[in-house]
Amino acid sequence: MRVCSPTRNEFQRVMALPLALLSAAFLLLLSTADNFSFAQESQANPTQAASQSITLAAEDSWPPFANQFGQGISHRLIAAAFKQSNIEVNSLVVPYSRALMMAEKGAVDGVFNVTREVSTEQRFVFGTTPLFIATASFYYKKEHAIKADNKWDLPKGTIVGVIKSYEYGDEFPLLVKQRQLNLVQVATQQQLINLLLIGRIDTALMFDLVAKENVQKMGVSDVVIPAFSNHSSHIYLAFSKTNPKAVLLAQALDKGLSQLKSDGQYQKLFAAEH
């Protein structure tokens, strides 16, 4: 039997195998060391950690808190508060009723400017700190004053303009029932004011800062005036119950708002014009 000796090329290929394995092992060791070093740096400096992002539905007709351009007090406060936890906010600007529906179905992580009351607590997750407190009043056209001293004295059958899906306090359903109020629901503040101006409604229920913003823009601040208070709302960012991280997000927002208030940024953001 003839035994063939390996050729020179075959011998070189065989000898090259251990060297290739050693080189691969060395490169793997270097990569592991680099990853370990990066992990240590990230733990030592949390600001370098990758940020997460959330998507929120923001209403389009509630200036100065939230307008159709995705701007306003609520936008500033929410973005700044979440920034404290390295969370980026993406906003979808839609009508309020649609924003609520999107959050309930889990299409977004949360919804702007929700009054915390019995009806909304059943639908959403809330933190402990409101974005702010907003007062609301009944408004009327100057030459057609309301014949009442407070909301419980409203004449039975009064026609009241409201925004569709807005919350007006836990007492409002009882008020509507007792005073037999006729509600006219519209989508925007401008529609409410126009109905008041042409006499289609007796009074419009509006949040005071929102009313002030809109009547000034429409040039009717001397014609449309407040009569008396309806309620004060604690306004929150409400989180979707379908999101398993809703409670953690609410806690992060609470923490951020507390930090903004402690370092003086909150009032500056609230008072800013843009």
Side-chain angles (χ1 to χ4, degrees):
M1 181 174 67
R2 182 180 178 185
V3 178
C4 298
S5 300
T7 66
R8 182 177 180 181
N9 289 340
E10 289 173 338
F11 179 78
Q12 288 176 338
R13 285 198 299 271
V14 171
M15 291 301 292
L17 287 174
L19 291 175
L21 291 173
L22 286 173
S23 298
F26 180 70
L27 291 173
L28 179 62
L29 181 62
L30 285 177
S31 176
T32 303
D34 288 342
N35 288 338
F36 179 72
S37 175
F38 177 77
Q40 284 185 318
E41 290 176 2
S42 295
Q43 291 175 358
N45 187 4
T47 59
Q48 293 182 356
S51 63
Q52 68 176 106
S53 63
I54 59 173
T55 301
L56 305 174
E59 64 178 302
D60 61 355
S61 179
W62 212 47
F65 301 107
N67 64 22
Q68 70 270 34
F69 305 112
Q71 301 170 340
I73 295 170
S74 298
H75 286 274
R76 294 194 296 270
L77 292 177
I78 291 169
F82 274 125
K83 188 176 181 180
Q84 309 296 316
S85 297
N86 209 26
I87 298 174
E88 180 183 357
V89 176
N90 299 310
S91 299
L92 296 177
V93 180
V94 294
Y96 186 66
S97 58
R98 183 179 174 189
L100 293 173
M101 181 179 63
M102 292 174 71
E104 279 194 286
K105 291 185 175 181
V108 292
D109 297 303
V111 53
F112 275 43
N113 302 333
V114 178
T115 297
R116 186 169 186 172
E117 58 183 35
V118 174
S119 64
T120 54
E121 286 180 335
Q122 296 171 356
R123 301 161 64 190
F124 303 104
V125 173
F126 292 89
T128 59
T129 305
L131 296 173
F132 47 83
I133 297 174
T135 59
S137 301
F138 287 89
Y139 285 75
Y140 65 97
K141 189 177 178 181
K142 190 173 182 179
E143 53 264 39
H144 298 287
I146 303 175
K147 298 178 180 179
D149 295 325
N150 59 67
K151 64 182 182 180
W152 298 107
D153 287 337
L154 282 168
K156 289 185 176 182
T158 296
I159 304 173
V160 182
V162 297
I163 298 292
K164 182 180 180 181
S165 298
Y166 269 26
E167 307 91 25
Y168 293 105
D170 289 328
E171 293 181 340
F172 191 64
L174 179 61
L175 176 68
V176 172
K177 183 178 180 180
Q178 283 194 2
R179 306 314 300 164
Q180 300 174 16
L181 303 180
N182 295 313
L183 301 184
V184 175
Q185 300 185 55
V186 297
T188 69
Q189 311 294 324
Q190 292 84 358
Q191 289 173 329
L192 270 185
I193 294 169
N194 282 329
L195 288 178
L196 198 57
L197 292 172
I198 64 176
R200 293 285 300 276
I201 57 177
D202 300 315
T203 180
L205 186 46
M206 295 186 286
F207 286 86
D208 295 315
L209 281 181
V210 179
K212 180 180 178 181
E213 176 99 357
N214 281 278
V215 296
Q216 286 180 346
K217 284 184 177 179
M218 296 174 68
V220 293
S221 55
D222 57 339
V223 178
V224 176
I225 54 180
F228 38 76
S229 172
N230 178 61
H231 76 302
S232 293
S233 277
H234 287 71
I235 305 296
Y236 284 78
L237 174 60
F239 296 93
S240 174
K241 283 191 171 183
T242 67
N243 187 344
K245 296 183 179 180
V247 173
L248 293 177
L249 289 174
Q251 291 172 348
L253 180 63
D254 286 341
K255 180 182 177 182
L257 289 171
S258 177
Q259 181 63 37
L260 292 178
K261 290 177 181 179
S262 66
D263 63 18
Q265 291 187 62
Y266 178 91
Q267 193 56 40
K268 292 179 181 178
L269 292 168
F270 195 95
E273 294 185 3
H274 301 287

